[in-house]
């Protein structure tokens, strides 16, 4: 889902305020490089990734999404 600049700016403000108070947990099936699909303004996307990754523990499970695999399996049986 794409966020317009206003939505992305508001999310950045929320993350900035939250960073100073408590932890933030985010799960994504997209690599950071792919976040430009959601945050279409490159500088704002970079700022959000920077804010989230500063002093972060990033856990890459290296696995594919179970839901995506199920959807693909269902689509292949219906084709």
């Amino acid at each position: 889902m794409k966020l317009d600049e206003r939505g992305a700016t508001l999310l950045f403000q929320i993350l900035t305020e939250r960073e100073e108070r408590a932890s933030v947990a985010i799960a994504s099936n997209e690599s950071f490089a792919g976040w430009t699909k959601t945050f279409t303004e490159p500088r704002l996307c970079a700022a959000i990734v920077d804010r989230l990754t500063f002093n972060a523990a990033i856990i890459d499970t290296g696995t594919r999404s179970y839901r995506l695999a199920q959807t693909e399996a269902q689509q292949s049986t219906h084709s």
Side-chain angles (χ1 to χ4, degrees), residues 24-70:
V24 175
I26 294 180
S28 175
N29 291 336
E30 189 69 62
S31 68
F32 288 127
W35 283 27
T36 56
K37 296 174 195 170
T38 301
F39 306 106
T40 56
E41 208 295 307
R43 288 179 51 197
L44 188 53
C45 181
I48 288 171
V49 170
D50 181 65
R51 193 65 83 209
L52 288 172
T53 58
F54 181 71
N55 287 329
I58 299 172
I59 303 168
D60 183 354
T61 61
T63 59
R64 293 192 59 213
S65 164
Y66 171 79
R67 290 180 187 94
L68 178 59
Q70 287 292 106

Side-chain angles (χ1 to χ4, degrees), residues 3-21:
L3 285 179
D4 62 14
E5 189 172 346
R6 178 169 160 66
T9 300
L10 289 172
L11 180 59
F12 177 75
Q13 289 175 345
I14 290 167
L15 293 171
T16 299
E17 290 177 19
R18 179 73 179 181
E19 173 192 38
E20 296 174 5
R21 295 188 183 133

